[in-house]
Amino acid sequence: MENDLLSRLSRPCAAFAEGRMLAAGPLVEVALAVESADAADGHILTFDDATGEIVDLDLRGGKAAIIARLAASPAASGKPQSGTAEPETGEEGARGRGRPRLGVVAREVTLLPRHWDWLATQPGGASATLRRLVDNARRESGTDDRTRAAREAAYRFLSNVAGNLPGYEEALRALFAGDAARFEAQMAGWPKDVRAYARRLAGGGA
């Protein structure tokens, strides 16, 4: 519970006002900075560093109320999934007939008959085999997945702050092509904070 609370409050974020970074750091600090911002700062948007998505802040009621709401809100990632636990079979199901493995969630899987036939021959049963296959695929595609996620985070941010800036569409093409030099060149005339944050979100993705 305490770890979940710290995760919610310390989520890295950044707040932007008219192309200028107003604050960056843990969500709770950024939210309080936004609450204290001067009206002259204009429209402020707060972004999640991990996803590039806008963080919806409820700034009513003062600092104590803001912190309380942030502490009570679900974390951006790792939300618990609802579902029915799937009974284990085979070597991973030695805990007892019908006893669900902690954290396992039942979902429908549609396969062709030949796939089910092959799964039926694997040690541990179909569920254990599918989990192994997914874990192996995740390990093998880890770098590609991180690169894709980084580019998508940068895209989400830029689509909200840079849509009217010169070279926007070309910058996105360069981002998804992995052309870092062209990405930088297209952003050359943009506000420096926008460039720096987009570069940071893209990470190795551009």
Side-chain angles (χ1 to χ4, degrees):
M1 182 68 69
E2 183 177 349
N3 288 340
D4 289 343
L5 172 61
L6 290 175
S7 176
R8 288 193 288 270
L9 296 179
S10 63
R11 198 167 104 206
C13 296
F16 279 78
E18 308 301 330
R20 176 176 61 88
M21 183 181 284
L22 181 70
L27 174 60
V28 63
E29 295 180 10
V30 172
L32 294 180
V34 173
E35 191 269 343
S36 300
D38 193 286
D41 287 316
H43 185 54
I44 300 173
L45 293 174
T46 301
F47 297 91
D48 186 320
D49 284 8
T51 64
E53 294 177 341
I54 292 177
V55 179
D56 186 18
L57 297 177
D58 185 344
L59 303 177
R60 297 172 300 168
K63 290 180 171 59
I66 293 170
I67 294 172
R69 279 193 295 270
L70 291 176
S73 65
S77 59
K79 289 183 181 180
Q81 292 180 315
S82 61
T84 304
E86 178 184 1
E88 294 292 312
T89 60
E91 59 190 17
E92 293 191 13
R95 282 168 292 275
R97 180 180 298 277
R99 183 178 179 183
R101 183 169 183 262
L102 184 63
V104 174
V105 177
R107 298 287 173 87
E108 181 179 352
V109 177
T110 303
L111 299 174
L112 294 173
R114 65 175 182 273
H115 299 143
W116 289 116
D117 291 342
W118 180 81
L119 286 170
T121 68
Q122 302 306 301
S127 294
T129 302
L130 287 171
R131 285 195 293 275
R132 285 197 297 270
L133 290 172
V134 170
D135 286 340
N136 289 338
R138 288 181 63 191
R139 283 192 291 270
E140 292 173 2
S141 64
T143 300
D144 289 343
D145 290 344
R146 286 190 293 273
T147 297
R148 186 182 308 110
R151 290 173 180 171
E152 289 175 352
Y155 164 74
R156 294 186 191 104
F157 166 68
L158 292 176
S159 67
N160 282 287
V161 302
N164 294 324
L165 295 177
Y168 167 72
E169 292 184 357
E170 285 301 318
L172 292 186
R173 292 189 184 96
L175 170 68
F176 285 105
D179 189 337
R182 187 157 61 97
F183 185 52
E184 285 286 345
Q186 295 300 325
M187 295 193 298
W190 297 3
K192 65 178 183 179
D193 289 348
V194 171
R195 295 199 313 269
Y197 191 63
R199 189 185 306 123
R200 176 151 67 90
L201 291 184

